[in-house]
Amino acid sequence: FYEPAHYLANPLDILAVWKGGMAFHGGFLGVLVAMVLYARKRKITWFAVMDFIAPLVPPGLGFGRLGNFINGELWGRAADPSLPWAMVFPHVDAIARHPSQLYQAFLEGIVLFAVLWWFSAKPRALGAVSAVFLIGYGVVRFVAEFFREPDAGIFGLSYTISMGQWLSLPMIAAGVAMLVWSKKAAAKQLYGMAIASSIRKTHPGPTESRPQEKSASVIRRVVRSVEAFDSIQSVGEQVNFFRCSAEAGVVRKSRLGR
């Protein structure tokens, strides 16, 4: 994503990790691939792995930004010299600049960690924690880029919207889409379980003589209910549909009990 002309002319430099070039967004894509392979090997859900790892990532990001500050790299934009914490990076120039590495260490390492730790403290839908990480990192990175000296990227050098901000926008969009999907998937799963439980309780049927026929009937009814559930686009309407169906099951059960 950065210095495309250089790497197109020298493709082998992509492998020269000892020279730097380890940008977060590219590394993040590599982590996603690694987690896919790990989840496949362990035969576990990929989202479950990502949800477990997501809250543990921010401290590493924070320490990485502290390393950037110590090395005097990825310095900030020019700041008002009267700003108490503005500083000069002698190997760059004599201009007072924002210590943007410290801004990012605070936002990515502390703020994002606190948000994820709080959000993941309660049971969440599968993929929801990963979605909040994408949204959270994308937002804090977008904000921090306003104080960081931009790097030349595939869209050139811009002080209006930097390459880091361009790359953060898809992360935010993907996180929002994933969060909506995870909530809908969880609601659908709960709805299916509730319908199956309601059918078993309100329509006992010939359980002793024909268990297989009863199971097939339950499955068909669950499938029809889930298909009706899928036809509803609004999450709020799906929740109401789920609630009404569950209440209807309770009513049927009470009537049969009389």
Side-chain angles (χ1 to χ4, degrees), residues 192-209:
M193 293 170 62
I195 290 297
S197 177
S198 175
I199 292 174
R200 285 195 298 268
K201 292 178 180 178
T202 57
H203 303 282
T207 56
E208 298 294 334
S209 59

Side-chain angles (χ1 to χ4, degrees), residues 62-81:
F63 283 114
R65 296 307 178 188
L66 291 178
N68 295 148
F69 178 73
I70 294 172
N71 288 336
E73 58 194 15
L74 305 180
W75 49 86
R77 302 188 187 193
D80 186 344

Side-chain angles (χ1 to χ4, degrees), residues 86-110:
M87 58 184 62
V88 174
F89 294 87
H91 62 289
V92 180
D93 51 33
I95 299 176
R97 295 179 176 275
H98 287 282
S100 60
Q101 309 97 321
L102 299 183
Y103 299 172
Q104 290 189 262
F106 174 73
L107 291 173
E108 298 174 10
I110 298 179

Side-chain angles (χ1 to χ4, degrees), residues 110-173:
I110 298 179
V111 175
L112 184 58
F113 173 75
V115 171
L116 287 171
W117 196 262
W118 166 80
F119 185 78
S120 62
K122 297 180 180 179
R124 302 292 181 181
L126 187 66
V129 177
S130 300
V132 171
F133 172 83
L134 289 176
I135 297 171
Y137 181 85
V139 170
V140 298
R141 178 65 184 269
F142 193 92
V143 172
E145 285 286 329
F146 284 115
F147 303 94
R148 174 176 164 175
E149 185 73 15
D151 300 300
I154 56 177
F155 300 132
L157 180 63
S158 173
Y159 282 84
T160 304
I161 300 182
S162 68
M163 191 65 232
Q165 290 173 317
W166 280 117
L167 294 174
S168 296
L169 291 176
M171 292 185 68
I172 298 173

